[in-house]
């Protein structure tokens, strides 16, 4: 079957089955083009939760589909590939409990800890955070959430991305330490779990230097999941949506080198836009979903085969939702 024939069938099935399709910015073009709505993880969750169709096909990674299910539990959320973000996979409930234990052993009691989880984490980990009085953040609002959380007088346990935690600490003039790597944990405001994004780790200080030397007016734009030493010498650091807004505000003649996922960078603008790396920074799990998978998911829905549905245990949903709602309240 040709891609054109698949496109047509997808459109027909979508109408007949009362289903919306959403796709994250990092998805392949063939999938991205079929979506009713595209955006970053927060925009997708908010749009999908308000959409009035009973069925949703989420093209992205596991924690993003789970976020919609947390916000709209009655909606049937299907994922063509239940691909798990490599960073989210770095922490499960046991590793979360062990991190709290490590803080206790360093002389920090549970009452002195305010856990904050980046949205890139499983519903089970979000539930642990919710139960401990903590909340979720995204890369767009992490600074605001941390600022509010610090008003409690507690130390922040920031999971799972150490780079996001370190970048925000530097930006806010706070001290951060990484659990398991640094000593004297008591002497820090933000205690980071030792997780990271393998894609955003690809961007190096040498890449920034290369572009600055070869393109005198270039703007270096990076995501806060990049290494702190790279963010420190960037012209702009921001979440996916913030980077897009900043780059679109620049004259097309101003060259930019962008440190984030390849599919997004390639779609940004027609010219003067470079990937800040000699290695192709493609997110393997985001790229798992193909047009054929999307088509097959619609056919399964028509056949009432719900094997790709996102399901969350009720107790986990309850506590994870509390952590997520605390973020929205702020
Ligand atoms: P956004 O929250 O900006 O969509 O990013 C998610 C992500 O996985 C970044 O690598
Ligand atoms: Fe996860 Fe990194 Fe992929 Fe984003 S780019 S989904 S953080 S592995």
């Amino acid at each position: 079957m040709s891609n054109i024939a698949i496109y047509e069938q997808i459109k027909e099935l979508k109408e007949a089955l009362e289903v919306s399709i959403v796709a994250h910015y990092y998805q392949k073009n063939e999938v991205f083009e079929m979506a009713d709505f595209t955006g970053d993880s927060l925009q997708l969750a908010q749009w999908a939760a308000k959409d009035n169709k009973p069925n949703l096909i989420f093209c992205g990674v596991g924690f993003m589909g789970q976020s919609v299910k947390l916000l709209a539990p009655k909606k049937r959320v299907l994922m063509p590939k239940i691909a798990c973000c490599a960073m989210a996979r770095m922490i499960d409930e046991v590793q979360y409990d062990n991190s709290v234990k490590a803080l206790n052993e360093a002389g920090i009691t549970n009452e002195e800890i305010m856990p904050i989880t980046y949205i890139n984490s499983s519903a089970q980990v979000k539930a642990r955070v919710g139960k401990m009085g903590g909340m979720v953040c995204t890369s767009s609002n992490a600074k605001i959430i941390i600022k509010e959380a610090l008003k409690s007088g507690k130390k922040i346990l920031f999971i799972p991305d150490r780079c996001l935690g370190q970048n925000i600490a530097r930006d806010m003039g706070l001290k951060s330490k990484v659990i398991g790597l640094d000593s004297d944990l008591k002497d820090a405001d933000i205690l980071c779990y030792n997780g990271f994004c393998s894609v955003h780790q690809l961007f190096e200080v040498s890449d920034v230097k290369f572009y600055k030397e070869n393109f005198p007016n270039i703007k270096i734009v990076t995501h806060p999941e990049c290494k702190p030493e790279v963010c420190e010498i960037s012209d702009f650091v921001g979440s996916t949506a913030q980077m897009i807004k900043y780059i679109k505000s620049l004259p097309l003649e101003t060259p930019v080198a962008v440190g984030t996922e390849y599919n997004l960078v390639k779609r940004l603008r027609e010219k003067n836009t470079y990937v800040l790396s000699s290695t192709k920074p493609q997110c393997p799990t985001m790229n798992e979903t193909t047009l054929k998978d999307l088509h097959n998911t619609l056919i399964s829905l028509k056949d009432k085969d719900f094997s790709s549905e996102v399901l969350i245990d009720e107790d986990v949903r309850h506590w994870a939702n509390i952590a997520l709602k605390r973020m929205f309240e702020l």
Side-chain angles (χ1 to χ4, degrees), residues 157-187:
L157 164 58
F158 192 81
I159 60 168
D161 187 14
R162 65 163 190 246
C163 293
L164 183 57
Q166 289 169 322
N167 280 320
I168 287 172
R170 193 199 61 243
D171 216 32
M172 295 176 71
L174 300 168
K175 219 179 230 183
S176 67
K177 296 229 169 172
V178 180
I179 303 166
L181 289 186
D182 295 329
S183 56
D184 203 9
L185 296 176
K186 253 190 137 169
D187 181 37

Side-chain angles (χ1 to χ4, degrees), residues 128-143:
R128 278 287 206 276
V129 168
K131 245 183 199 172
M132 230 177 130
M135 59 196 131
V136 175
C137 76
T138 71
S139 51
S140 326
N141 64 21
K143 220 156 100 180

Side-chain angles (χ1 to χ4, degrees), residues 90-119:
M90 285 181 182
I91 185 163
D92 61 15
E93 297 126 292
V94 175
Q95 285 157 318
Y96 177 82
D97 293 345
N98 286 343
S99 302
V100 173
K101 229 183 267 166
L103 297 188
N104 295 159
E105 280 160 13
I108 307 164
T109 65
N110 281 12
E111 291 66 40
E112 293 170 304
I113 301 170
M114 171 65 79
I116 294 180
T117 180
Y118 188 24
I119 197 160

